[in-house]
Amino acid sequence: MTTLHLPWLEASILVLLGGAAWVSRLRTAEAKSSTCLWISAIAFALTVAAWVDYVALMQETAQGPVASWLELESILIIDSLAAPLLPLASILYLFTFAGTLKTKFRQFSFPGALIAEAILLAIFACRAGWPLAVLLMFRLVPPYLEMRSRDKPTGAYVFHLLAFAILLVGGYALVKSQTQLPASGWIVAPLTIAVLIRGGIAPFHCWAPDLFEHATFGTALLFLTPMVGAYSAARFVLPIATIDTLHALGLIALVSALYAAGMAMIQREARRFFCYLLLSHSALVFVGLMSGFEVCLTGGLCIWLSIGLSLGGLGLTLRALEARHGRLSLVRFQGLYDHTPALAVCFLLTGLASVGFPYTFGYIGTEMLVDGAIHAYPYVVGAIVVMVAALNGIAVVQAYFKIFTGSQHVSTIHLGIGIRERWTVLSLAALIFAGGLFPQSGVASRFHAAQELLKPQQTHPASPRSANLSPVRHVSRRSDG
């Protein structure tokens, strides 16, 4: 197997783990914050270098996955799916460290966040098998420890994610005992339930709002936004399930997306609004993953990247507002625009980008998801996907009016954003518009990842006839009609 030119992955993980040990020895919160910012920036640069190195190797050799220097069997390996997820995860942590205000220093665990980032990078650099299962279980520990240290309830979190761990281990052991693929529905059932729990798909979603309620906003945001549940589904379920099983999971996710979009519209508190908005978009990614059709799967993977940026930015905006005003209510109008116009613009930009507003990164992905869903599922599914996007858009605009308009907020202190927050807002806006104005390379990368994910399905006897259709053939066929 081809290896990277330099050990970028090992270096990024070691930098984060060593940085966590260093930061834990610092005494002042200000020193911890600034040190974490530099460490996360270095890790982000290393993951970008790994992505660039992978793309260069693919252009030279036209091979599949690329191993890092350790050359282990299933860990520290980059493929088309994981290559952009590594810098996405790193930039989410970088923006979170940059946007953490002094009022949140003592609540947010900086060493724990660095350890969690290292585990997340290892997860995205792990293809499958027991190493991935172990890493997924390790990833559950930091939020639990934080809630325990703050004397917050952990019952819902422990119940659901302990069930996730048990079903993941038992389900994977059951699948490993099988010799014939695709596996039957009852054999895949424990794994499917496990990934549905981790992805927050209804009715297994109750732990997610509870996490946002009791953990710090930054910890909850970083735990859910990278969509580790979707990654688990792509690695554990997609290669072994029948197309009927995948479509059943896709329809369950579609119902969950519609339910979460409706719940986002009626929330009375900003944290829960954001949680349900994130769960709705995450469920749409599941719809694309389980379609078995290249166009729909490509759209789902594009949405994965776009909402990682857009909803990550929206969550950081709400977190910055909370640092200034406390928990935000959506019952009455707050009128905060005059005090924080930059955060208001960022809120509206990231919120609309998440629902596929034109000229943003999510626009092409949403169009491909809708177009592919019409062919992969019953025709009504495409209309429901459009309805979900519309409801999410209404929820975003409604929350914007509640928070930023309608009354005059009086404050005796300055509530404007600082330099680090301003750079975070500008960077998010640049990335969102760059992905929307120049989507070619991103869509091509996600299409190649969709082809790799569908290779096991194409070898199954029950593989759908549409799995071998490329977007080019699909468009030309429609134009001929």
Side-chain angles (χ1 to χ4, degrees):
M1 181 179 290
T2 306
T3 59
L4 297 176
H5 293 101
L6 290 173
W8 307 112
L9 282 176
E10 292 93 335
S12 63
I13 294 173
L14 289 176
V15 163
L16 291 170
L17 294 178
W22 182 18
V23 169
S24 63
R25 300 174 62 89
L26 300 177
R27 295 185 177 182
T28 64
E30 290 80 4
K32 291 182 179 181
S33 174
S34 59
T35 304
C36 279
L37 183 62
W38 283 107
I39 292 172
S40 185
I42 294 171
F44 171 66
L46 291 171
T47 55
V48 171
W51 184 17
V52 173
D53 198 353
Y54 169 80
V55 173
L57 283 173
M58 290 302 96
Q59 293 175 349
E60 294 175 4
T61 62
Q63 294 184 3
V66 175
S68 191
W69 278 36
L70 292 180
E71 296 190 22
L72 299 179
E73 181 179 358
S74 59
I75 192 172
L76 295 183
I77 294 177
I78 302 180
D79 60 5
S80 296
L81 174 64
L85 295 179
L86 294 168
L88 174 65
S90 297
I91 202 171
L92 284 175
Y93 276 87
L94 177 60
F95 284 165
T96 301
F97 290 135
T100 301
L101 299 182
K102 292 183 179 180
T103 55
K104 296 290 185 179
F105 280 177
R106 299 192 180 278
Q107 299 179 15
F108 187 69
S109 174
F110 290 101
L114 290 175
I115 294 174
E117 182 179 359
I119 297 173
L120 182 60
L121 293 183
I123 288 173
F124 285 151
C126 188
R127 299 197 69 193
W130 292 114
L132 179 56
V134 172
L135 288 170
L136 288 171
M137 288 184 286
F138 276 138
R139 186 67 181 88
L140 308 178
V141 177
Y144 170 76
L145 293 179
E146 180 187 289
M147 288 189 289
R148 284 294 302 270
S149 67
R150 301 178 65 217
D151 294 326
K152 297 294 184 179
T154 59
Y157 181 85
V158 171
F159 175 79
H160 285 86
L161 295 180
L162 182 61
F164 158 75
I166 294 173
L167 290 170
L168 180 66
V169 172
Y172 187 67
L174 184 62
V175 169
K176 290 289 286 185
S177 66
Q178 302 298 311
T179 58
Q180 184 178 3
L181 294 178
S184 59
W186 70 271
I187 293 177
V188 185
L191 276 178
T192 57
I193 297 175
V195 299
L196 291 177
I197 293 174
R198 185 60 179 86
I201 304 298
F204 310 108
H205 68 289
C206 300
W207 63 272
D210 189 78
L211 177 66
F212 271 91
E213 184 69 25
H214 300 300
T216 60
F217 204 147
T219 298
L221 174 71
L222 295 172
F223 188 76
L224 276 174
T225 305
M227 288 191 290
V228 175
Y231 187 81
S232 305
R235 295 307 192 191
F236 284 111
V237 178
L238 186 58
I240 63 173
T242 64
I243 192 61
D244 292 334
T245 302
L246 293 178
H247 280 182
L249 289 174
L251 294 176
I252 293 173
L254 183 66
V255 173
S256 177
L258 185 62
Y259 164 78
M263 290 294 291
M265 293 183 61
I266 62 173
Q267 294 305 305
R268 301 167 62 88
E269 200 266 336
R271 282 198 181 196
R272 296 180 68 87
F273 150 75
F274 176 79
C275 177
Y276 280 108
L277 187 68
L278 178 58
L279 292 181
S280 179
H281 286 86
S282 178
L284 288 180
V285 175
F286 270 83
V287 173
L289 284 176
M290 302 305 167
S291 64
F293 182 51
E294 285 178 348
V295 175
C296 192
L297 179 52
T298 304
L301 295 179
C302 289
I303 291 176
W304 189 343
L305 295 181
S306 69
I307 68 174
L309 286 175
S310 58
L311 287 187
L314 181 63
L316 292 176
T317 302
L318 289 173
R319 182 171 178 257
L321 290 170
E322 274 198 2
R324 292 163 169 81
H325 305 280
R327 294 288 181 99
L328 295 172
S329 172
L330 300 180
V331 176
R332 61 184 184 276
F333 292 97
Q334 305 287 331
L336 300 180
Y337 181 88
D338 290 337
H339 296 280
T340 55
L343 290 180
V345 172
C346 186
F347 183 99
L348 197 59
L349 170 63
T350 53
L352 294 180
S354 69
V355 299
F357 197 76
Y359 301 109
T360 63
F361 191 23
Y363 176 68
I364 298 295
T366 303
E367 289 293 315
M368 295 181 71
L369 180 65
V370 173
D371 195 20
I374 293 174
H375 292 81
Y377 296 99
Y379 286 110
V380 69
V381 171
I384 296 178
V385 171
V386 174
M387 185 185 302
V388 170
L391 292 177
N392 285 329
I394 293 171
V396 168
V397 175
Q398 178 178 270
Y400 172 83
F401 285 131
K402 288 288 186 179
I403 296 173
F404 294 103
T405 68
S407 64
Q408 187 174 5
H409 181 82
V410 179
S411 176
T412 58
I413 60 175
H414 177 66
L415 300 177
I417 64 175
I419 296 177
R420 296 201 310 190
E421 290 175 306
R422 191 178 302 277
W423 278 107
T424 300
V425 169
L426 292 175
S427 301
L428 276 170
L431 290 172
I432 289 171
F433 281 119
L437 295 173
F438 307 100
Q440 295 86 350
S441 59
V443 173
S445 168
R446 297 304 83 201
F447 175 61
H448 186 63
Q451 288 180 315
E452 285 190 358
L453 289 173
L454 289 177
K455 281 181 181 178
Q457 286 292 327
Q458 293 171 358
T459 61
H460 294 168
S463 177
R465 64 176 179 86
S466 58
N468 293 321
L469 294 176
S470 69
V472 176
R473 293 175 183 171
H474 171 63
V475 173
S476 62
R477 183 185 61 182
R478 291 185 62 191
S479 61
D480 293 341

